Amino acid sequence: CKKISYGMNLYFLGGRWTYYSSDGSSWTKENSSSSNWGYYGLTFGNSLFVGVSNGGIWTYDGSNEVQRKSRDTNSEFKGVNYGNNLFVSVGEKGVIFTSTGGTSWTEKNSGISEDLYEVDFGNNLHIVVGNNGTILTSTDGTTWTSRTSGTSNTLYDVTSL
């Protein structure tokens, strides 16, 4: 399992296969078309679960797949998060997409071509990490600022405390 998310009294586990549970003890495999892709990233916000994969961005309302945004870019999506009423999805070649509702997505200019792996939100700041020590930050999800990490190693994950 790569990601876990909680919302609407449901736990969702995302990875190669997707499972859900209302109690954390008994798990059921999700059988929508999105579960065949597996999720690299998974989040909950705006009463929706959103998962990202090499097949696109998937939106799920807890019982039905609501929307699938096909990958209309040559990049796979790797991470997704919800914060400050905004979904942010990141991926290969510096790809960033945002959505306020989780069903309509807009590509944003990251200003870089490095692969991006994860995004988080904390202290009123979206934070993205990726290849070669890449760190990007944004207060609004539209304007992204490159930050110095002090490393050229790939950063795969970020968590706001």
Side-chain angles (χ1 to χ4, degrees):
C1 176
K2 181 157 173 46
K3 293 292 175 182
I4 186 167
S5 191
Y6 180 80
M8 296 185 301
N9 298 315
L10 286 175
Y11 295 95
F12 259 82
L13 296 174
R16 175 60 185 108
W17 305 108
T18 304
Y19 294 86
Y20 61 91
S21 172
S22 61
D23 61 12
S25 296
S26 177
W27 294 87
T28 303
K29 184 179 176 189
E30 183 206 358
N31 289 315
S32 75
S33 60
S34 62
S35 66
N36 295 326
W37 290 94
Y39 294 118
Y40 294 129
L42 185 64
T43 194
F44 179 81
N46 196 34
S47 299
L48 295 170
F49 290 95
V50 174
V52 295
S53 71
N54 60 349
I57 302 173
W58 308 84
T59 305
Y60 187 73
D61 69 4
S63 59
N64 296 297
E65 187 176 297
V66 176
Q67 176 77 25
R68 175 183 176 210
K69 182 203 179 334
S70 295
R71 187 178 60 146
D72 56 2
T73 175
N74 289 328
S75 303
E76 292 183 1
F77 294 105
K78 298 292 187 180
V80 64
N81 196 271
Y82 183 79
N84 201 27
N85 299 311
L86 186 70
F87 290 98
V88 177
S89 177
V90 300
E92 294 175 330
K93 302 176 187 169
V95 166
I96 296 178
F97 278 78
T98 64
S99 173
T100 55
T103 56
S104 178
W105 294 83
T106 304
E107 187 169 8
K108 302 298 180 181
N109 182 1
S110 69
I112 64 164
S113 60
E114 298 291 340
D115 290 354
L116 303 173
Y117 291 104
E118 192 59 84
V119 56
D120 202 5
F121 182 83
N123 199 28
N124 295 314
L125 197 64
H126 299 278
I127 303 170
V128 174
V129 296
N131 276 357
N132 295 313
T134 298
I135 298 176
L136 302 174
T137 62
S138 176
T139 57
D140 61 8
T142 298
T143 304
W144 292 90
T145 302
S146 181
R147 304 295 180 178
T148 302
S149 68
T151 184
S152 59
N153 293 327
T154 297
L155 303 175
Y156 289 104
D157 211 348
V158 60
T159 299
S160 300
L161 300 176

